Structures are given as C-alpha cells and as structure tokens.
Amino acid sequence: MKVLKFGGTSVGSAERMKGVAKLIADGQQKVVVLSAMSGTTNSLVEISDYLYKKNPEGANEIINTLELKYKKHIEELFSTEEYKQKTAELVKSVFDYIRSFTKDIFTLFEEKVILAQGEIISTNMMTNYLCEQGIKTTLLPALEFMRTDKNCEPDVTYIREKLTALLNDNQGYDIYITQGFICRNAYGEIDNLQRGGSDYSASLIGAAINASEIQIWTDIDGMHDNDPRLVEKTSPVRHLHFDEAAELAYFGAKILHPTCIQPAKYANIPVHLLNTMEPTAPGTLISNDTEKSKIKAVAAKDNITAIRIKSSRMLLAHGFLRKVFEIFESYQTPIDMVCTSEVGVSMSIDNTKHLNEILNDLKKYGTVTVDYNMCIVCVVGDLEWENVGFEAKALDAMREIPVRMISFGGSNYNISFLVREEDKIRALQSLSNQLFNA
Ligand code: ADP
Ligand code: ASP
Ligand code: MG
C-alpha cells in the first residue's frame, strides 16, 4: 500500500480539495495524510497567542473570520444538502470547542488542542467529500495511533501496533484518510510533531505499515537544484539519496521536512515528491541509491550566527573542544557547522535564544567573536572525498564572495559555506552558473 501526503497548499481551497480527490480515487487502496488547509495552523497559533495574552476579543475575531472561511469552503465543496449539513455540523462543533477555550485559563495543553483542529477539519471535509462522490473512504483518527514517548520521540512500536489493528478493523475501504501533524504524547494528551510535521506523520505511517512508497504532494515540481524563488534557471532534481535530501531539507529547501527522512530511510521506503498542480510530472524520487559523481543541488539557510573562540591554550591541549561543546549542550543549542584550527574553533548556530549565556560561558576559555546575519550555503551531491574536482568547482564559484567558514568531509554528500546574508543570492546564483548551467 502507498502513503500519500498532501500539504496545506494542496488542500488550500475547495477547488484544490476536489483536485486531490480526483487524484487519489484511482481504485488503488491507499492511506492519505492531510495537513490543515493552508493558513489555518497559523491562524490557530494567532488565536492561542491572543489567549496567552488574555485577550479573548482578539481571539474571537480570528475564530469568527476563520469559521466564515470554512462555511464558504463547505458551500463550494459539496453538492448535496446531506453532506453540506453533515460537514457544517462538524465544523460548527469544532469552532464551538475552540471558543470554549476563550473563557478559561490558557496553557500549553490547551494550545496543543487548538492547534490540532486544523487537521481534524480538513480530514473530515475530505472524507465526507469522497463519500459524497461514492468512493469507499474512512477516516482513521491519528489521535488513536500516532503517539510520542517520554522523550517526545515517536513511539514506533505503539504506532505500528495500533495502526495495523485499526486497518484490520476497517477492511474493505479504498481510501483511508488520516491527519498529519497531530498525535498524543506519552501521557495521552493531545500534542503535535512540530510545525510542518505532516511530512513526518506520512513517513512514520509509511514505515509502520511497510508501505511500498511514501508520496509527498506539494504545489511545486519536486526538489529543485536551487531555490526557484531566488535564482534564475533552476531545474527539478529527479533523484536524490536520502542523505542528500536530508542535507537539502535541513539547509533550506523547504519542500520536505527534515524529520521525514529518517523513518523512510531506515525502513528503505522510497519517498516521492510530487506536484499537485502537475500530477503527471516525474517529481523527485528519494531513495537509498546514489547517482555517482553528480552534484545535485544548492540550498541556503538564513539567520545563522557564527561564533569563534580563540585560545592560545588550545595549542597542544586536549579536552578544549569538549568544554566548548558542553556549553552549547547545556543551553540545548545545536551547532550546525564547525571549523577548527590549532588555535581556535568557529561554530554556527541558528537558535540564539541563549546566545548571551553561551558567550559569557565561552569567554572563560578564550577570546570570543560573533558574526550575525550570516547564511549557510550548502552544495549537495556525490561529494565522496576520492572524487576529484568538485570541491574546486564549488570554491571557484565563491571566488568573489567573502566566506567566513567552509565545511567539507562531514558527510559524503555536502560542502557548506558560511557567508553574509547579503551575499546569499549572489552565492546561490554563482554556484548555479558554475555547477549546473556551465
Ligand atoms: P505544503 O502545504 O505542501 O506543506 P508549505 O506551504 O508548507 O507546503 O510550504 C511549501 C512551499 O514552500 C512551497 O509551496 C514552495 O513554494 C515553498 N518553498 C520553500 N522553500 C522552497 C525551495 N527551496 N524551493 C522551492 N520552493 C520552496
Ligand atoms: N498544519 C501544520 C503546519 O502548518 C502541519 C503541516 O502542514 O505539516 O505546520
Ligand atoms: Mg507544510
């Protein structure tokens, strides 16, 4: 069985939902994972923000606007009174539920419940629409099988057992719809897999049922060799290794969430990125196969801060790096890039929540300098060290651009450059010209 995930953009209007329904109703049995309609999760976050700030009027205004939008969607989507009414009742009960949180104390717990409602609405709408079309469809509630453990990691055994049982109890349907993003935590409370987490849901579900393929449907034509919003002349990439896709997903190519890679990779299930607007286009296939001697793509990640610590005591000393890394660890701040020399080490981070504390602690061990508003530009492809020429080509493209750090050799698939944010587009364009359009 295949697992197909449609993102918020793909179910963003009644028209789009009809398109998805046409696409999935091909007679083949499948699990379909849906995001909330685009913009909805952001609105639910806004509602929660108002409620945290004890501003129920502000919250109610957004709730009312959002509810009106859904009334319109229902009018456009359904053709029979029966299904219009059935869906309108469901949507009304969801909005009444959301409104009930405007009257009481508001905590993280209530916020998680509110954030879950977007996917609950979209999946009910799609299920009802498919049923109205006479397609054998049922809704498998994610809250009954998707679960995280005490470390907030997916509880893979629980997910497999519960989902298998649910599918067994619901045999004979062509389409099983479920919610992306939402889950329960180890205590049974409603939770989620973080923003953009529907891709993760699809991958976990694919691994749990040993799917033949996981399809991620979005509104553009697969991964591109560079960011089409920033750079001229980009082309889709047809095939990527899981590790290449992981580097790209993490370093900015937002069409796939980085967490989605690992479950599919270990279960050896190919992930296929496809375009809802052009369903017959080949898209991008991600698998455990490597295309030899090819540079695949370039991506960039903004809002990076570079920190350098220089210490004469580092010379011939051991344990210095451990001390430095421990400081970042104690503030739960991940390090992205690292470059070392005999007298210093440079690191980059994207989470600056504890930057001041980190800098104060680092200053005990040496002279610290910081560069703000930096950007990681990463080149992804078959960059095994024994292949010659690729590093030179990438470096040559950076000829005119001030480079703060270079990282190569961390994996077989990546060279990263740290540059100023203002040089990002120039760097991306120059790499594109040198690597793909020469
Ligand atoms: P979905 O609803 O399918 O999950 P999102 O709205 O969450 O999609 O975000 C994906 C969108 O981000 C795409 O529509 C695309 O236009 C845009 N996007 C972000 N980064 C990139 C990139 N590197 N290349 C192409 N498109 C990108
Ligand atoms: N709806 C959630 C979000 O917007 C999850 C997702 O779309 O992947 O973050
Ligand atoms: Mg998304």
PDB file of all heavy atoms in Angstrom, residues 342-367:
ATOM      1  N   GLU A 342      44.388  25.056  14.879  1.00  0.00           N
ATOM      2  CA  GLU A 342      45.141  24.720  16.092  1.00  0.00           C
ATOM      3  C   GLU A 342      44.908  25.749  17.206  1.00  0.00           C
ATOM      4  O   GLU A 342      45.015  25.431  18.376  1.00  0.00           O
ATOM      5  CB  GLU A 342      46.636  24.609  15.737  1.00  0.00           C
ATOM      6  CG  GLU A 342      47.443  23.735  16.674  1.00  0.00           C
ATOM      7  CD  GLU A 342      46.730  22.441  17.104  1.00  0.00           C
ATOM      8  OE1 GLU A 342      46.454  21.581  16.264  1.00  0.00           O
ATOM      9  OE2 GLU A 342      46.429  22.320  18.307  1.00  0.00           O
ATOM     10  N   VAL A 343      44.506  26.967  16.835  1.00  0.00           N
ATOM     11  CA  VAL A 343      44.335  27.970  17.888  1.00  0.00           C
ATOM     12  C   VAL A 343      42.895  28.431  18.102  1.00  0.00           C
ATOM     13  O   VAL A 343      42.628  29.242  18.986  1.00  0.00           O
ATOM     14  CB  VAL A 343      45.202  29.236  17.625  1.00  0.00           C
ATOM     15  CG1 VAL A 343      46.671  28.927  17.788  1.00  0.00           C
ATOM     16  CG2 VAL A 343      44.893  29.827  16.274  1.00  0.00           C
ATOM     17  N   GLY A 344      41.998  27.914  17.329  1.00  0.00           N
ATOM     18  CA  GLY A 344      40.623  28.385  17.527  1.00  0.00           C
ATOM     19  C   GLY A 344      39.601  27.461  16.924  1.00  0.00           C
ATOM     20  O   GLY A 344      39.933  26.534  16.172  1.00  0.00           O
ATOM     21  N   VAL A 345      38.353  27.734  17.260  1.00  0.00           N
ATOM     22  CA  VAL A 345      37.267  26.970  16.668  1.00  0.00           C
ATOM     23  C   VAL A 345      36.112  27.923  16.359  1.00  0.00           C
ATOM     24  O   VAL A 345      35.822  28.843  17.128  1.00  0.00           O
ATOM     25  CB  VAL A 345      36.853  25.773  17.576  1.00  0.00           C
ATOM     26  CG1 VAL A 345      36.709  26.164  19.014  1.00  0.00           C
ATOM     27  CG2 VAL A 345      35.549  25.130  17.109  1.00  0.00           C
ATOM     28  N   SER A 346      35.509  27.722  15.188  1.00  0.00           N
ATOM     29  CA  SER A 346      34.339  28.508  14.787  1.00  0.00           C
ATOM     30  C   SER A 346      33.152  27.578  14.696  1.00  0.00           C
ATOM     31  O   SER A 346      33.269  26.453  14.194  1.00  0.00           O
ATOM     32  CB  SER A 346      34.564  29.129  13.408  1.00  0.00           C
ATOM     33  OG  SER A 346      35.207  30.359  13.533  1.00  0.00           O
ATOM     34  N   MET A 347      32.012  28.068  15.166  1.00  0.00           N
ATOM     35  CA  MET A 347      30.797  27.268  15.093  1.00  0.00           C
ATOM     36  C   MET A 347      29.665  28.147  14.607  1.00  0.00           C
ATOM     37  O   MET A 347      29.701  29.358  14.800  1.00  0.00           O
ATOM     38  CB  MET A 347      30.438  26.734  16.485  1.00  0.00           C
ATOM     39  CG  MET A 347      31.376  25.668  16.984  1.00  0.00           C
ATOM     40  SD  MET A 347      31.618  25.780  18.753  1.00  0.00           S
ATOM     41  CE  MET A 347      32.385  27.348  18.934  1.00  0.00           C
ATOM     42  N   SER A 348      28.640  27.526  14.020  1.00  0.00           N
ATOM     43  CA  SER A 348      27.466  28.309  13.659  1.00  0.00           C
ATOM     44  C   SER A 348      26.239  27.729  14.332  1.00  0.00           C
ATOM     45  O   SER A 348      26.131  26.511  14.509  1.00  0.00           O
ATOM     46  CB  SER A 348      27.288  28.326  12.139  1.00  0.00           C
ATOM     47  OG  SER A 348      26.668  27.143  11.714  1.00  0.00           O
ATOM     48  N   ILE A 349      25.338  28.617  14.722  1.00  0.00           N
ATOM     49  CA  ILE A 349      24.081  28.186  15.345  1.00  0.00           C
ATOM     50  C   ILE A 349      22.920  28.951  14.697  1.00  0.00           C
ATOM     51  O   ILE A 349      23.111  30.022  14.125  1.00  0.00           O
ATOM     52  CB  ILE A 349      24.060  28.440  16.880  1.00  0.00           C
ATOM     53  CG1 ILE A 349      24.262  29.925  17.191  1.00  0.00           C
ATOM     54  CG2 ILE A 349      25.124  27.625  17.584  1.00  0.00           C
ATOM     55  CD1 ILE A 349      24.021  30.284  18.664  1.00  0.00           C
ATOM     56  N   ASP A 350      21.716  28.369  14.756  1.00  0.00           N
ATOM     57  CA  ASP A 350      20.568  29.152  14.262  1.00  0.00           C
ATOM     58  C   ASP A 350      19.607  29.506  15.391  1.00  0.00           C
ATOM     59  O   ASP A 350      18.728  30.336  15.214  1.00  0.00           O
ATOM     60  CB  ASP A 350      19.849  28.449  13.098  1.00  0.00           C
ATOM     61  CG  ASP A 350      19.113  27.194  13.523  1.00  0.00           C
ATOM     62  OD1 ASP A 350      19.319  26.736  14.661  1.00  0.00           O
ATOM     63  OD2 ASP A 350      18.334  26.672  12.707  1.00  0.00           O
ATOM     64  N   ASN A 351      19.801  28.908  16.553  1.00  0.00           N
ATOM     65  CA  ASN A 351      18.936  29.217  17.688  1.00  0.00           C
ATOM     66  C   ASN A 351      19.705  30.105  18.664  1.00  0.00           C
ATOM     67  O   ASN A 351      20.628  29.659  19.334  1.00  0.00           O
ATOM     68  CB  ASN A 351      18.534  27.888  18.343  1.00  0.00           C
ATOM     69  CG  ASN A 351      17.715  28.098  19.588  1.00  0.00           C
ATOM     70  OD1 ASN A 351      17.549  29.209  20.078  1.00  0.00           O
ATOM     71  ND2 ASN A 351      17.200  27.012  20.125  1.00  0.00           N
ATOM     72  N   THR A 352      19.319  31.382  18.715  1.00  0.00           N
ATOM     73  CA  THR A 352      20.103  32.337  19.518  1.00  0.00           C
ATOM     74  C   THR A 352      19.436  32.667  20.854  1.00  0.00           C
ATOM     75  O   THR A 352      19.774  33.663  21.491  1.00  0.00           O
ATOM     76  CB  THR A 352      20.321  33.650  18.730  1.00  0.00           C
ATOM     77  OG1 THR A 352      19.050  34.077  18.250  1.00  0.00           O
ATOM     78  CG2 THR A 352      21.272  33.470  17.587  1.00  0.00           C
ATOM     79  N   LYS A 353      18.481  31.808  21.248  1.00  0.00           N
ATOM     80  CA  LYS A 353      17.734  32.075  22.485  1.00  0.00           C
ATOM     81  C   LYS A 353      18.673  32.279  23.684  1.00  0.00           C
ATOM     82  O   LYS A 353      18.454  33.149  24.510  1.00  0.00           O
ATOM     83  CB  LYS A 353      16.802  30.881  22.728  1.00  0.00           C
ATOM     84  CG  LYS A 353      15.691  31.156  23.675  1.00  0.00           C
ATOM     85  CD  LYS A 353      14.642  30.061  23.631  1.00  0.00           C
ATOM     86  CE  LYS A 353      13.847  30.066  24.919  1.00  0.00           C
ATOM     87  NZ  LYS A 353      13.219  28.780  25.188  1.00  0.00           N
ATOM     88  N   HIS A 354      19.738  31.471  23.759  1.00  0.00           N
ATOM     89  CA  HIS A 354      20.644  31.557  24.916  1.00  0.00           C
ATOM     90  C   HIS A 354      22.010  32.099  24.518  1.00  0.00           C
ATOM     91  O   HIS A 354      23.003  31.808  25.179  1.00  0.00           O
ATOM     92  CB  HIS A 354      20.797  30.175  25.548  1.00  0.00           C
ATOM     93  CG  HIS A 354      19.504  29.629  26.056  1.00  0.00           C
ATOM     94  ND1 HIS A 354      18.841  30.156  27.139  1.00  0.00           N
ATOM     95  CD2 HIS A 354      18.733  28.610  25.606  1.00  0.00           C
ATOM     96  CE1 HIS A 354      17.725  29.483  27.338  1.00  0.00           C
ATOM     97  NE2 HIS A 354      17.622  28.538  26.424  1.00  0.00           N
ATOM     98  N   LEU A 355      22.038  32.903  23.434  1.00  0.00           N
ATOM     99  CA  LEU A 355      23.337  33.358  22.918  1.00  0.00           C
ATOM    100  C   LEU A 355      24.164  34.075  23.987  1.00  0.00           C
ATOM    101  O   LEU A 355      25.348  33.800  24.154  1.00  0.00           O
ATOM    102  CB  LEU A 355      23.128  34.262  21.695  1.00  0.00           C
ATOM    103  CG  LEU A 355      24.403  34.760  21.030  1.00  0.00           C
ATOM    104  CD1 LEU A 355      25.254  33.602  20.519  1.00  0.00           C
ATOM    105  CD2 LEU A 355      24.082  35.705  19.869  1.00  0.00           C
ATOM    106  N   ASN A 356      23.531  34.975  24.742  1.00  0.00           N
ATOM    107  CA  ASN A 356      24.309  35.746  25.722  1.00  0.00           C
ATOM    108  C   ASN A 356      24.937  34.860  26.784  1.00  0.00           C
ATOM    109  O   ASN A 356      26.106  35.018  27.121  1.00  0.00           O
ATOM    110  CB  ASN A 356      23.432  36.815  26.383  1.00  0.00           C
ATOM    111  CG  ASN A 356      23.176  37.955  25.413  1.00  0.00           C
ATOM    112  OD1 ASN A 356      23.963  38.157  24.485  1.00  0.00           O
ATOM    113  ND2 ASN A 356      22.061  38.655  25.605  1.00  0.00           N
ATOM    114  N   GLU A 357      24.150  33.909  27.274  1.00  0.00           N
ATOM    115  CA  GLU A 357      24.689  32.986  28.284  1.00  0.00           C
ATOM    116  C   GLU A 357      25.842  32.172  27.691  1.00  0.00           C
ATOM    117  O   GLU A 357      26.882  31.985  28.330  1.00  0.00           O
ATOM    118  CB  GLU A 357      23.606  32.011  28.774  1.00  0.00           C
ATOM    119  CG  GLU A 357      22.473  32.656  29.560  1.00  0.00           C
ATOM    120  CD  GLU A 357      21.220  32.838  28.707  1.00  0.00           C
ATOM    121  OE1 GLU A 357      21.335  33.398  27.587  1.00  0.00           O
ATOM    122  OE2 GLU A 357      20.129  32.458  29.162  1.00  0.00           O
ATOM    123  N   ILE A 358      25.647  31.713  26.450  1.00  0.00           N
ATOM    124  CA  ILE A 358      26.686  30.900  25.808  1.00  0.00           C
ATOM    125  C   ILE A 358      27.967  31.726  25.682  1.00  0.00           C
ATOM    126  O   ILE A 358      29.062  31.269  26.023  1.00  0.00           O
ATOM    127  CB  ILE A 358      26.203  30.407  24.419  1.00  0.00           C
ATOM    128  CG1 ILE A 358      25.097  29.366  24.598  1.00  0.00           C
ATOM    129  CG2 ILE A 358      27.358  29.836  23.598  1.00  0.00           C
ATOM    130  CD1 ILE A 358      24.412  28.940  23.317  1.00  0.00           C
ATOM    131  N   LEU A 359      27.827  32.986  25.220  1.00  0.00           N
ATOM    132  CA  LEU A 359      29.020  33.829  25.027  1.00  0.00           C
ATOM    133  C   LEU A 359      29.726  34.064  26.356  1.00  0.00           C
ATOM    134  O   LEU A 359      30.956  33.978  26.443  1.00  0.00           O
ATOM    135  CB  LEU A 359      28.632  35.165  24.375  1.00  0.00           C
ATOM    136  CG  LEU A 359      28.052  35.055  22.958  1.00  0.00           C
ATOM    137  CD1 LEU A 359      27.694  36.428  22.413  1.00  0.00           C
ATOM    138  CD2 LEU A 359      29.022  34.345  22.005  1.00  0.00           C
ATOM    139  N   ASN A 360      28.953  34.340  27.404  1.00  0.00           N
ATOM    140  CA  ASN A 360      29.567  34.564  28.723  1.00  0.00           C
ATOM    141  C   ASN A 360      30.359  33.351  29.180  1.00  0.00           C
ATOM    142  O   ASN A 360      31.471  33.485  29.697  1.00  0.00           O
ATOM    143  CB  ASN A 360      28.495  34.899  29.758  1.00  0.00           C
ATOM    144  CG  ASN A 360      28.048  36.335  29.609  1.00  0.00           C
ATOM    145  OD1 ASN A 360      28.804  37.169  29.081  1.00  0.00           O
ATOM    146  ND2 ASN A 360      26.828  36.629  30.037  1.00  0.00           N
ATOM    147  N   ASP A 361      29.785  32.171  28.992  1.00  0.00           N
ATOM    148  CA  ASP A 361      30.485  30.948  29.403  1.00  0.00           C
ATOM    149  C   ASP A 361      31.735  30.708  28.562  1.00  0.00           C
ATOM    150  O   ASP A 361      32.781  30.307  29.075  1.00  0.00           O
ATOM    151  CB  ASP A 361      29.551  29.736  29.312  1.00  0.00           C
ATOM    152  CG  ASP A 361      28.510  29.727  30.433  1.00  0.00           C
ATOM    153  OD1 ASP A 361      28.463  30.711  31.204  1.00  0.00           O
ATOM    154  OD2 ASP A 361      27.747  28.741  30.531  1.00  0.00           O
ATOM    155  N   LEU A 362      31.606  30.977  27.242  1.00  0.00           N
ATOM    156  CA  LEU A 362      32.753  30.728  26.352  1.00  0.00           C
ATOM    157  C   LEU A 362      33.933  31.640  26.696  1.00  0.00           C
ATOM    158  O   LEU A 362      35.091  31.251  26.569  1.00  0.00           O
ATOM    159  CB  LEU A 362      32.353  30.961  24.887  1.00  0.00           C
ATOM    160  CG  LEU A 362      31.508  29.882  24.205  1.00  0.00           C
ATOM    161  CD1 LEU A 362      31.083  30.352  22.812  1.00  0.00           C
ATOM    162  CD2 LEU A 362      32.269  28.554  24.090  1.00  0.00           C
ATOM    163  N   LYS A 363      33.601  32.869  27.130  1.00  0.00           N
ATOM    164  CA  LYS A 363      34.663  33.860  27.386  1.00  0.00           C
ATOM    165  C   LYS A 363      35.648  33.391  28.466  1.00  0.00           C
ATOM    166  O   LYS A 363      36.773  33.868  28.533  1.00  0.00           O
ATOM    167  CB  LYS A 363      34.046  35.211  27.763  1.00  0.00           C
ATOM    168  CG  LYS A 363      33.590  35.983  26.534  1.00  0.00           C
ATOM    169  CD  LYS A 363      32.866  37.262  26.897  1.00  0.00           C
ATOM    170  CE  LYS A 363      32.177  37.831  25.654  1.00  0.00           C
ATOM    171  NZ  LYS A 363      31.055  38.709  25.990  1.00  0.00           N
ATOM    172  N   LYS A 364      35.215  32.432  29.275  1.00  0.00           N
ATOM    173  CA  LYS A 364      36.140  31.888  30.296  1.00  0.00           C
ATOM    174  C   LYS A 364      37.293  31.137  29.647  1.00  0.00           C
ATOM    175  O   LYS A 364      38.316  30.896  30.273  1.00  0.00           O
ATOM    176  CB  LYS A 364      35.379  30.923  31.207  1.00  0.00           C
ATOM    177  CG  LYS A 364      34.342  31.593  32.075  1.00  0.00           C
ATOM    178  CD  LYS A 364      33.578  30.546  32.889  1.00  0.00           C
ATOM    179  CE  LYS A 364      32.234  31.118  33.306  1.00  0.00           C
ATOM    180  NZ  LYS A 364      31.183  30.103  33.381  1.00  0.00           N
ATOM    181  N   TYR A 365      37.116  30.707  28.393  1.00  0.00           N
ATOM    182  CA  TYR A 365      38.129  29.849  27.773  1.00  0.00           C
ATOM    183  C   TYR A 365      38.925  30.536  26.669  1.00  0.00           C
ATOM    184  O   TYR A 365      39.821  29.940  26.088  1.00  0.00           O
ATOM    185  CB  TYR A 365      37.463  28.589  27.196  1.00  0.00           C
ATOM    186  CG  TYR A 365      36.810  27.751  28.263  1.00  0.00           C
ATOM    187  CD1 TYR A 365      35.427  27.726  28.400  1.00  0.00           C
ATOM    188  CD2 TYR A 365      37.592  27.006  29.148  1.00  0.00           C
ATOM    189  CE1 TYR A 365      34.832  26.964  29.384  1.00  0.00           C
ATOM    190  CE2 TYR A 365      37.004  26.238  30.140  1.00  0.00           C
ATOM    191  CZ  TYR A 365      35.620  26.226  30.256  1.00  0.00           C
ATOM    192  OH  TYR A 365      35.041  25.471  31.239  1.00  0.00           O
ATOM    193  N   GLY A 366      38.614  31.777  26.329  1.00  0.00           N
ATOM    194  CA  GLY A 366      39.381  32.426  25.265  1.00  0.00           C
ATOM    195  C   GLY A 366      38.687  33.677  24.760  1.00  0.00           C
ATOM    196  O   GLY A 366      37.685  34.127  25.319  1.00  0.00           O
ATOM    197  N   THR A 367      39.207  34.213  23.663  1.00  0.00           N
ATOM    198  CA  THR A 367      38.632  35.421  23.067  1.00  0.00           C
ATOM    199  C   THR A 367      37.501  35.014  22.127  1.00  0.00           C
ATOM    200  O   THR A 367      37.694  34.164  21.247  1.00  0.00           O
ATOM    201  CB  THR A 367      39.709  36.154  22.236  1.00  0.00           C
ATOM    202  OG1 THR A 367      40.900  36.174  23.020  1.00  0.00           O
ATOM    203  CG2 THR A 367      39.279  37.559  21.899  1.00  0.00           C
TER     204      THR A 367
END
